[in-house]
Amino acid sequence: MLDADFFHRWLTAVAVLVDREAAHLTELDSAIGDADHGSNLQRGFTAVTATLNKDAPQTPGAVLTLAGRQLISTVGGASGPLYGTLLRRTGKALGDDAEVTPAQLAEALRAGVAAVAQLGGAKAGDKTMLDALEPAVAALGDTTESFAAARDAAREGALATVPLQARKGRASYLGERSIGHQDPGATSSALLLAALAEVAA
């Protein structure tokens, strides 16, 4: 079973990975975006961990909902609303249970990813974060061992954005010039799943 502490540790691990990879994320974003993806997420997840360390909620759903609100209020551009929606919708789907199963988390994440797709009007293949998130949730099962499969699927999905032409977001303005670059949003989404697998191991 996964309790509030597990979700707190997950988001803390995300913050550590984002902090470590911030320069790389910004480098990817400098090719096809605003060159601020790394610094934006770094600021957002730093705020998330500070809030959780100060007053951690007692249920998994509340932890994710609070984190989502923090991201929306601290991360600029499209990333804040998209990541905020992902976490808030996932948290809402988990409800008020004090502990949840991996299967419940998998189902809730599917709901969160669907909400991201609806908000952004994107789908897999558009060279967005969904190219990592959708294969990841498809790989999730009913045990924590499946989190490693989700991590691998997200990483492969992010790498697979390199030959794609962006059809959504700022990168889409570049047309064919977006081809040959890895999508920064898909890359940061892969970090989210990598942290989940790390905490569950």
Side-chain angles (χ1 to χ4, degrees):
M1 296 295 283
L2 311 173
D3 59 11
D5 180 63
F6 175 89
F7 285 82
H8 188 165
R9 288 187 286 116
W10 174 22
L11 294 171
T12 300
V14 174
V16 171
L17 282 181
V18 165
D19 192 52
R20 193 175 74 195
E21 298 294 326
H24 178 57
L25 293 174
T26 292
E27 180 185 353
L28 293 176
D29 198 32
S30 68
I32 58 174
D34 292 332
D36 59 4
H37 191 59
S39 57
N40 276 342
L41 285 190
Q42 195 174 28
R43 180 173 60 255
F45 279 99
T46 296
V48 166
T49 55
T51 298
L52 292 178
N53 289 337
K54 182 179 178 183
D55 186 19
Q58 298 303 305
T59 67
V63 169
L64 293 182
T65 301
L66 177 59
R69 283 204 304 268
Q70 279 296 310
L71 291 177
I72 289 172
S73 64
T74 57
V75 178
S79 299
L82 290 170
Y83 270 103
T85 294
L86 174 65
L87 296 185
R88 287 179 66 187
R89 185 66 185 82
T90 301
K92 184 178 178 183
L94 289 176
D96 298 324
D97 292 346
E99 295 181 318
V100 299
T101 65
Q104 284 176 290
L105 175 56
E107 192 60 33
L109 274 171
R110 289 186 187 98
V113 172
V116 169
Q118 185 175 26
L119 178 64
K123 60 184 183 301
D126 285 343
K127 200 179 182 94
T128 71
M129 59 196 292
L130 291 175
D131 288 304
L133 292 176
E134 289 198 350
V137 295
L140 285 172
D142 57 3
T143 69
T144 55
E145 283 76 18
S146 72
F147 294 166
R151 172 201 59 204
D152 295 345
R155 184 168 52 207
E156 290 167 11
L159 291 171
T161 62
V162 174
L164 298 178
Q165 179 174 330
R167 291 195 288 261
K168 289 292 179 181
R170 186 175 179 82
S172 65
Y173 303 154
L174 297 176
E176 291 184 354
R177 286 182 292 143
S178 65
I179 296 172
H181 303 282
Q182 186 169 324
D183 182 66
T187 306
S188 59
S189 295
L191 296 179
L192 192 76
L193 275 301
L196 178 63
E198 176 185 313
V199 172

